[in-house]
Amino acid sequence: MSFPAASNRSARRLFTSRPGVRRGAAATAAAVAVAALAVPGRAAAAPSAPVPAPRPPDGKQAVATGYGGAVSSVDLDASRSALEVLRHGGNAFDAAVAATATLGVTEPYVSAIGGGGYFTYYDARSRRVYTIDGREKAPKAMKETSFIDPATGKPLPFDQAVTSGLSVGVPGTVAQWDTGLRRFGTRSMASLLQPAIRVAEHGFTVDQEFQDQTAVNEARFRDIVPTRELFLPGGKLPQVGSTFRNPDLARTYRELARRGPSWLYGGELGREIVRTVQHPPKDPKAARNVRPGLMTNADPPAYRPVWRDPTHVNYRGLDVYGMAPSSSGGTTVGEALNILGNFHLSPKDPVTALHYYLEASKLAYADRGRYVGDPDKVSVPVRELLSQGFARERACLIKPDAAAQAPVAPGDPDGNYPPCKPPGNTTRALAMEGPQTTHLVVADRWGDVASYTLSIEQFGGSALTVPGRGFLLNNELTDFDFQPPAPGQAPDPNLPGPEKRPRSSMSPTIVLRDGRPLLAVGTPGGSTIITTVLQILLNRIDLGMSLPAALAAPRATQRNTPQVFAEQAFIDRYGRALAAKGHRLEVFPGPPVGQIGAAAGLEFLAPGLVQAVAEPVRRHGGSALVVWPQR
């Protein structure tokens, strides 16, 4: 794809045209060649047609193209909240906050003010990409051995660690909103909470996805009194088609709008969170062991989100920006792209391209596990992990016709990169990271772009609802590795520690061409987030798919494990050919079984003309909307 020659000023006029002018410009925009990404040194292959797929249910649409701004998320109500802000002159950052607040109502098991996330933002005025690390932090009292059962000397069973106060990190979402709005916002947080308040008060229609997520959590929700009362009304699963209201959350949002973020970070809401963590409101009759947590009243006031330099790699002439540590998303996606840049990948031979994608993922995940953690607590060699020399050294280990036996060992990003270096003999098992997260993308009329991934970790987080407040608390601290390495082994950068952020795989990504936004993409999926984002970029840039096709295409994930986990459609299409190269494919175990991620993306087809893309089927479909649809 190429933009027409135009100055930044003239391009900005296209973005800021009134609706009538913008519609009049549609004919001109339609004449622009937007069919393919032009890669330097290669002929631009026309992208394949979008993969036919069922239309999302409940009035949602998976693709929307038009002017004036766009949004894609997993939820229609959230997308509508963002669109309302865009239509009334708010920018992409404003709209993203409004959408995520609404997701706290309609997607409460994956998104809430009891969690955190990572925000990647392109500011059209400065033509720069910024990122905010709003990841939850461990309390000051947390130690390397906090997840070791003192009675046995072994790590706690994962299910016991999850449903506990011990797993709850200091929430970062509200502080992240406040920090970003102070720099980029044009609306107050109070005004941006209003759409979500309306949805919480009037209710939303329960769909199959909401019921399914509730059913997954039913047993542990029944054991936590305020959680049972809120999410199992009358002691039953909410029925598909019924209306679900959350008046407690409406009151919480209204009070947050009135008092501001200090109500959580040093005020009464923060103290209520701490009481819930220290004294989990478990039903006395329940047999479940719900351990108290380590958070104290001193922890929420000490929380600060962090502005971090984004990761950046150049891939096929495009600038790919992502989230730096404490997320591993930007470094791992970036390293894998750098490795892939050493090979010619063609849409005429997708099997070979996918082989290199799986092998590059395998190598990058090995380095992720060895080197990436919270950079405020451990030294992370970001520059070397993203260096071309290190990528060439790793790429030389890939054989064109044979998959390496996994797990492979990490490389040595030491700045000294001979032509080829044999693999080492140590590696680390893949840590558990829950796949339940959410992602959204927003663009506004001025060309600003938000790519935002946020989470409370598992579906339902810790299962602890703050009494009377209508939201769940996260279990993000289970993203730490529970057990320190044995003596003589390499140090682990992702052990628990005081005020430390656990490593994440969230990968909110923005791609620029010639300094202007081209693509934005992200997804939920725990440690599969990285491979999903990487595969979508591969599909779009190297395999010539349109963005809707790239996002809908069947997925596979290789995270330095013996198996390649994949969706059944991927196995049906590519399994035999990849097995011949030594890849062992199995159906992704979920949850949900056989589905990887639930991505959201957007692409600028021409100045001012944006295509928003949501999942057509996964997690029962997402919602893409634009301010002024293209005619």
Side-chain angles (χ1 to χ4, degrees), residues 163-166 168 219-230 272-286 288-293 462-473:
T163 309
S164 74
L166 191 62
V168 181
R220 63 190 192 124
F221 278 9
R222 289 193 182 280
D223 290 344
I224 310 298
V225 175
T227 307
R228 180 179 66 212
E229 292 173 348
L230 176 59
E272 291 178 28
I273 290 172
V274 171
R275 283 198 295 272
T276 306
V277 169
Q278 292 183 349
H279 307 284
K282 188 188 80 168
D283 186 332
K285 298 178 182 178
R288 187 182 302 272
N289 183 2
V290 183
R291 291 173 170 80
S462 64
L464 304 181
T465 297
V466 181
R469 293 301 177 192
F471 67 90
L472 288 154
L473 294 175

Side-chain angles (χ1 to χ4, degrees), residues 505-517:
S505 295
M506 296 186 220
S507 307
T509 302
I510 294 176
V511 180
L512 306 185
R513 183 176 180 190
D514 299 328
R516 297 175 184 170

Side-chain angles (χ1 to χ4, degrees), residues 339-593:
I339 293 171
L340 290 173
N342 287 277
F343 304 101
H344 175 75
L345 308 178
S346 169
K348 296 179 181 179
D349 188 2
V351 171
T352 295
L354 290 168
H355 167 69
Y356 282 116
Y357 151 69
L358 295 172
E359 293 300 280
S361 299
K362 190 182 297 179
L363 294 164
Y365 267 84
D367 300 326
R368 165 191 180 270
R370 170 63 183 85
Y371 297 110
V372 180
D374 182 350
D376 298 331
K377 302 296 182 181
V378 298
S379 178
V380 184
V382 172
R383 182 184 297 274
E384 291 302 323
L385 287 171
L386 295 178
S387 69
Q388 291 295 334
F390 184 59
R392 285 193 298 270
E393 182 177 272
R394 300 299 270 158
C396 79
L397 301 176
I398 299 178
K399 298 178 180 179
D401 296 314
Q405 185 174 351
V408 299
D412 190 3
D414 60 357
N416 180 26
Y417 307 119
C420 256
K421 185 174 181 178
N425 56 10
T426 60
T427 189
R428 180 169 287 119
L430 183 70
M432 177 61 188
E433 189 174 345
Q436 298 81 11
T437 304
T438 194
H439 181 82
L440 60 91
V441 291
V442 185
D444 62 32
R445 67 183 69 178
W446 300 281
D448 305 307
V449 178
S451 185
Y452 190 15
T453 313
L454 63 160
S455 180
I456 61 172
E457 182 57 6
Q458 300 291 120
F459 281 138
S462 64
L464 304 181
T465 297
V466 181
R469 293 301 177 192
F471 67 90
L472 288 154
L473 294 175
N474 69 84
N475 68 289
E476 296 288 1
L477 300 188
T478 58
D479 277 356
F480 284 124
D481 297 332
F482 285 10
Q483 188 165 21
Q489 289 188 344
D492 186 343
N494 191 43
L495 291 173
E499 298 188 280
K500 189 176 182 181
R501 290 174 166 87
R503 181 176 61 214
S504 171
S505 295
M506 296 186 220
S507 307
T509 302
I510 294 176
V511 180
L512 306 185
R513 183 176 180 190
D514 299 328
R516 297 175 184 170
L518 178 63
L519 301 168
V521 68
T523 183
S527 60
T528 70
I529 290 173
I530 292 165
T531 53
T532 297
V533 169
L534 182 61
Q535 190 177 357
I536 290 171
L537 294 177
L538 173 81
N539 290 343
R540 180 67 188 96
I541 299 169
D542 291 299
L543 300 186
M545 298 181 191
S546 66
L547 186 60
L551 202 136
R555 293 175 186 150
T557 179
Q558 169 51 270
R559 294 161 290 162
N560 199 24
T561 60
Q563 311 93 331
V564 174
F565 290 108
E567 295 175 336
Q568 186 62 54
F570 185 95
I571 296 173
D572 294 342
R573 189 176 301 179
Y574 304 113
R576 181 173 298 180
L578 289 172
K581 294 180 181 289
H583 297 283
R584 188 174 126 203
L585 278 72
E586 297 182 13
V587 174
F588 180 68
V593 174

Side-chain angles (χ1 to χ4, degrees), residues 14-27:
L14 270 174
F15 279 116
T16 56
S17 299
R18 293 183 307 228
V21 176
R22 193 178 302 276
R23 292 190 188 100

